[in-house]
Amino acid sequence: MAENQNQQAAARIRALTKQLNQYSHEYYVKDRQTVEDHVYDKLYQELVDLEQKFPEWVSLDSPTQRVGDHALEGFKKVIHEQPMLSLSNAFSKRDLLEFDQRVQKLSSKAVSYMCELKIDGLAISLKYQNGHYNGGATRGDGTVGEDITRNLRTVKSVPINLQQPLTIEVRGECYMPKASFVALNQLREENGEEVFANPRNAAAGSLRQLDSKVTSSRNLSTFLYTVADFGALTAATQAEALDQLDAAGLRTNHERRVCRSIEEVWTYIEEYQEKRQTLPYEIDGIVVKVNEFSSQAEIGYTVKAPKWAIAYKFPAEEAKTVIQDIEWTIGRTGVVTPTAIMTPVRLAGSTVSRASLHNYDLIQEKDIRLLDAVMIHKAGDIIPEVTSVLIEERSIDSAPYPMPTHCPVCQSRLVHLDEEVALRCINPMCKAQIKEGLNHFVSRNAMNIEGLGQKVLEQLYEKGLIKDVAGLYFLTETDFLSLDKIKEKSAHNLLQAIAASKNNSVERLIFGLGIRHVGSKAAKILAEYFGSLRSLKKAAVEEITAIDSLGGIIADSVVQYFKKPEVQELLQELEKADVNFEYLGVKKSEIAAIESAFKGKTVVLTGKLTEYTRESASEKIESLGGKTTGTVSKKTDIVVAGKEAGSKLTKAQKLGIAIWNEQQMMKAFKESDS
Ligand code: IVH
């Protein structure tokens, strides 16, 4: 019976893995969505649940394995058997014509050119062995790069298995889409962290992470453009090679075009200089390559770059304008952000009159003053930024812009927290923060209260009808009818939407409360782990850090948050209003319906394990209904001691706690599996 169930689970896990990988391939590689999000999510959740019950059937290419592993001490070096070259640049049509002439001189036959977009990211190399992902590296200095195998494994467009069993090395660009760059910077600004200057820096910062979980959360993508080691592939041209990469399941960029003359190349360049703004990723030029490999070989290389290719760089788009004012706005967490208000100018396809200055340090560093003439550009083609001040145009009576000392809304003193670059208003009663907090609470990923927009919330707050988020649940029809432009029908709809939100699973509430550093993903993990807000609010820092994917910063922030008296009061109000505090998804503890020695037990892993990493052992124990923590206390049931275990082992001995070695742990795993 159990055996039968086990076989059925194995088959279902295989089928789900295959199907989800197919959807994912279509979405991330082919840019085609073939399944609705909720259907995908449901199948994914089914797979997660099954894999937790039957961890022995988790395959390396399961979509659940793309979430990142534990942090590394440093990167290993990788020697590129074939150096990763760079390209010489062209800045004008004339440079391009000269390139064409050199090519004609060096090749015995007529050539065609492959035009490709020059993706603004980070060069990477990927290796496949018999069709299986076998490692990834950065370019480094071209000869020696860094081993970022684990990080690239989390990038969804990097296939774990190719469509054919090829042994090849391919190269390309890893990049961050413009939209992800904007979202990431917004989040960083809100958290008082430094923002990335452009998508390339953001991609580099995300790929060169010792903790692959960070990479995994960053939404990177790839385009491959070179085959470094063809293996069994045979291609005579760049066009064929790219088509073969496509067929193998590797993502290539489809804006490419074969041109028969340098004039055609120029037309392509002009076309994409226009189209550039509408692309979802940033490009900084066009790469022109001789298409025929035989001609490439004839033309040859310099030490640094191929002579058969050139990168045409787009001129930087800049505009000149004048700073009229600096506006300070307060975010939900009290971060005070300056925005430059400028004389409107046209820049890269739109009229620009505002640019974020990010923080006061930046104003000081660039010495930006009122009425200064400045040059602006668009970071990631989208976000206007001040590049430089034209100091020579400054009038003699101008003075440095002073650091604001008080919140422009509540007038309380502004502070710098810890190492943050941001200035903060730390008055929890600051109106601006409360209003932002209300907006966040009702937003789509939080309580998702439809129709309750900023204007309505503002009125409710200004009229004193609500003072915090709990107030929403005590509103009446009369309250809504007292607002501008709200008639009975919309009052009714709003009340219904508010009431419906009471039944949300608790991760929405946890996210909606706006606890610092707790994004929607962390909220989900906390909800799943603790099962309810009541348990979460009692959690100790160690209990939270024991969760594999959450770190100390989140744990501290959560614990500090629930300690605040005003938070406790708020929770009481929410409870009074009957807002659901429970996690309504599948609970981790319920997952381990099978009997195991770890069920309900608190386990501490210490010392060096040989067969398992501490992370994998901990995952396994949790999938079997146990809990792993980092500290030995009276509450600990089992201590698994590997080699060279130290103080934790001594403490366990003192407390008389059961002590197991790795073999005993593995035996218990085996027994739970059957
Ligand atoms: S070909 C030997 N193609 O630009 C061929 N490079 O300035 C070398 N890049 O390091 C590269 N898009 O990181 C090539 N379609 C493309 C590219 C591209 C972006 C980057 C790449 C390279 C740099 C050279």
Side-chain angles (χ1 to χ4, degrees):
M1 180 66 187
E3 183 54 25
N4 198 5
Q5 207 187 13
N6 194 296
Q7 289 310 317
Q8 272 176 4
R12 183 67 185 149
I13 287 178
R14 266 198 307 275
L16 283 167
T17 300
K18 191 161 169 226
Q19 189 174 19
L20 289 165
N21 279 344
Q22 179 64 27
Y23 290 145
S24 183
H25 174 76
E26 276 151 6
Y27 187 78
Y28 290 104
V29 180
K30 301 286 177 212
D31 293 320
R32 196 170 57 215
Q33 183 160 9
T34 49
V35 62
E36 278 187 68
D37 285 348
H38 70 272
V39 179
Y40 183 94
D41 289 347
K42 208 163 153 234
L43 293 172
Y44 186 90
Q45 192 54 47
E46 186 187 344
L47 180 62
V48 169
D49 293 349
L50 272 175
E51 287 183 342
Q52 252 153 359
K53 272 194 215 158
F54 302 94
E56 68 273 32
W57 297 120
V58 179
S59 71
L60 258 181
D61 70 335
S62 165
T64 61
Q65 302 303 297
R66 288 201 189 253
V67 292
D69 210 329
H70 60 281
L72 291 175
E73 304 274 318
F75 294 112
K76 279 197 296 200
K77 298 277 176 251
V78 177
I79 296 173
H80 300 301
E81 276 159 41
Q82 303 230 25
M84 288 180 78
L85 301 176
S86 69
L87 294 171
S88 11
N89 293 323
F91 297 99
S92 62
K93 187 169 180 188
R94 197 179 147 170
D95 288 349
L96 213 64
L97 292 174
E98 284 173 9
F99 162 73
D100 182 46
Q101 275 162 11
R102 285 196 300 275
V103 166
Q104 310 265 9
K105 226 194 228 157
L106 290 168
S107 74
S108 56
K109 299 187 287 273
V111 302
S112 59
Y113 289 113
M114 169 62 88
C115 293
E116 295 170 20
L117 302 184
K118 187 167 186 307
I119 312 297
D120 202 7
L122 208 74
I124 54 156
S125 155
L126 299 174
K127 283 187 180 168
Y128 286 86
Q129 181 94 43
N130 298 323
H132 303 301
Y133 175 59
N134 191 31
T138 61
R139 174 173 183 271
D141 64 3
T143 314
V144 182
E146 283 174 325
D147 183 340
I148 51 163
T149 302
R150 302 193 325 164
N151 291 350
L152 282 170
R153 167 178 259 290
T154 71
V155 176
K156 305 247 189 10
S157 60
V158 171
I160 302 303
N161 289 315
L162 298 180
Q163 314 279 51
Q164 301 140 20
L166 299 169
T167 298
I168 49 170
E169 181 180 347
V170 291
R171 286 163 184 181
E173 205 79 354
C174 183
Y175 68 93
M176 184 177 285
K178 288 177 189 171
S180 313
F181 165 70
V182 175
L184 175 64
N185 266 358
Q186 254 167 15
L187 195 73
R188 291 178 73 86
E189 199 153 289
E190 187 63 44
N191 283 336
E193 293 162 324
E194 230 165 302
V195 293
F196 288 111
N198 50 50
R200 178 164 32 85
N201 289 5
S206 307
L207 261 193
R208 296 195 65 263
Q209 279 287 339
L210 292 173
D211 185 351
S212 50
K213 287 202 189 67
V214 179
T215 318
S216 164
S217 71
R218 291 284 171 83
N219 194 26
L220 298 171
S221 194
T222 52
F223 284 125
L224 281 325
Y225 46 67
T226 299
V227 184
D229 178 353
F230 275 90
L233 280 187
T234 48
T237 60
Q238 171 72 356
E240 267 176 42
L242 292 176
D243 288 345
Q244 288 174 358
L245 292 186
D246 263 339
L250 290 154
R251 187 161 183 256
T252 67
N253 188 286
H254 284 215
E255 310 289 339
R256 61 179 179 259
R257 186 182 301 162
V258 176
C259 295
R260 269 154 313 164
S261 68
I262 205 74
E263 279 308 322
E264 269 184 43
V265 169
W266 187 248
T267 311
Y268 177 91
I269 290 177
E270 285 186 323
E271 202 178 306
Y272 277 90
Q273 192 147 345
E274 284 297 307
K275 269 201 195 160
R276 190 181 168 191
Q277 263 88 42
T278 60
L279 295 168
Y281 41 83
E282 190 166 14
I283 61 172
D284 61 342
I286 301 295
V287 182
V288 184
K289 302 173 181 172
V290 167
N291 190 31
E292 296 77 16
F293 289 154
S294 58
S295 301
Q296 287 187 1
E298 246 181 340
I299 299 165
Y301 298 79
T302 67
V303 207
K304 279 199 295 199
K307 286 195 259 182
W308 45 261
I310 200 155
Y312 175 84
K313 290 281 191 73
F314 292 134
E317 288 198 68
E318 279 199 314
K320 186 178 158 188
T321 182
V322 173
I323 306 272
Q324 300 295 352
D325 194 8
I326 292 179
E327 192 181 275
W328 295 83
T329 46
I330 294 128
R332 170 167 65 84
T333 60
V335 172
V336 187
T337 319
T339 303
I341 311 297
M342 306 167 300
T343 315
V345 287
R346 287 292 293 177
L347 173 65
S350 70
T351 302
V352 173
S353 60
R354 302 169 67 86
S356 175
L357 298 173
H358 303 304
N359 50 61
Y360 182 75
D361 284 14
L362 189 130
I363 298 181
Q364 207 175 23
E365 206 177 284
K366 294 203 163 144
D367 190 17
I368 297 169
R369 305 180 182 188
L370 294 180
L371 296 177
D372 267 351
V374 291
M375 296 307 293
I376 59 171
H377 82 297
K378 281 187 181 170
D381 283 353
I382 16 180
I383 307 170
E385 261 179 3
V386 174
T387 349
S388 60
V389 174
L390 303 170
I391 301 198
E392 60 283 6
E393 295 189 24
R394 186 178 269 168
S395 85
I396 31 167
D397 52 4
S398 100
Y401 189 87
M403 175 151 99
T405 51
H406 291 82
C407 171
V409 175
C410 72
Q411 318 310 329
S412 64
R413 257 199 114 70
L414 296 176
V415 296
H416 265 295
L417 286 187
D418 311 327
E419 305 284 286
E420 283 186 1
V421 285
L423 274 171
R424 268 180 199 273
C425 165
I426 51 164
N427 170 16
M429 300 315 288
C430 172
K431 270 189 179 185
Q433 282 180 61
I434 295 175
K435 284 186 201 164
E436 288 299 322
L438 287 166
N439 284 325
H440 172 73
F441 186 79
V442 304
S443 66
R444 206 162 59 94
N445 288 331
M447 293 302 267
N448 193 21
I449 307 183
E450 252 180 78
L452 202 49
Q454 197 171 344
K455 292 213 172 97
V456 180
L457 285 172
E458 170 111 25
Q459 286 190 65
L460 288 168
Y461 182 74
E462 287 299 342
K463 290 198 165 195
L465 294 169
I466 52 173
K467 67 172 180 36
D468 56 26
V469 296
L472 290 170
Y473 295 101
F474 298 95
L475 289 169
T476 63
E477 192 172 341
T478 330
D479 290 336
F480 277 117
L481 291 175
S482 75
L483 307 180
D484 278 354
K485 295 194 187 132
I486 300 274
K487 299 259 162 11
E488 261 161 43
K489 183 145 192 285
S490 39
H492 177 76
N493 288 344
L494 285 168
L495 283 168
Q496 223 169 22
I498 293 173
S501 76
K502 290 183 188 178
N503 302 325
N504 286 337
S505 184
V506 74
E507 62 272 23
R508 289 185 171 277
L509 177 61
I510 297 173
F511 176 57
L513 289 172
I515 307 167
R516 264 190 82 197
H517 303 295
V518 179
S520 55
K521 268 198 194 143
K524 175 93 197 288
I525 294 168
L526 289 167
E528 203 176 342
Y529 189 84
F530 288 97
S532 81
L533 196 63
R534 282 175 202 88
S535 321
L536 175 63
K537 78 176 182 200
K538 285 188 284 196
V541 171
E542 303 79 63
E543 280 179 273
I544 301 176
T545 46
I547 306 175
D548 206 25
S549 42
L550 301 182
I553 297 178
I554 293 182
D556 278 335
S557 173
V558 169
V559 172
Q560 289 305 325
Y561 177 82
F562 286 109
K563 269 195 199 153
K564 292 184 198 165
E566 67 267 21
V567 168
Q568 285 165 14
E569 224 172 275
L570 178 72
L571 294 188
Q572 273 172 17
E573 287 296 296
L574 288 167
E575 199 166 13
K576 224 193 275 169
D578 244 356
V579 174
N580 171 51
F581 278 12
E582 306 294 317
Y583 177 59
L584 304 178
V586 188
K587 286 190 192 110
K588 281 234 160 132
S589 55
E590 285 172 4
I591 284 162
I594 37 172
E595 281 308 316
S596 96
F598 299 107
K599 203 167 173 184
K601 297 277 159 52
T602 303
V603 185
V604 175
L605 296 162
T606 181
K608 275 193 200 138
L609 301 178
T610 49
E611 302 293 321
Y612 278 81
T613 62
R614 222 179 271 177
E615 285 72 16
S616 62
S618 156
E619 257 172 40
K620 180 98 191 179
I621 291 168
E622 281 176 10
S623 75
L624 294 170
K627 198 168 89 176
T628 54
T629 65
T631 39
V632 177
S633 74
K634 273 186 285 183
K635 286 191 212 149
T636 313
D637 297 299
I638 304 164
V639 170
V640 178
K643 286 198 195 110
E644 296 161 33
S647 62
K648 288 185 191 176
L649 176 60
T650 332
K651 189 163 178 200
Q653 286 164 336
K654 257 195 213 147
L655 292 171
I657 293 164
I659 296 163
W660 291 11
N661 61 25
E662 189 175 7
Q663 275 63 44
Q664 284 170 296
M665 173 185 83
M666 280 161 55
K667 191 159 164 269
F669 285 170
K670 262 226 177 89
E671 281 163 4
S672 319
D673 283 348
S674 56

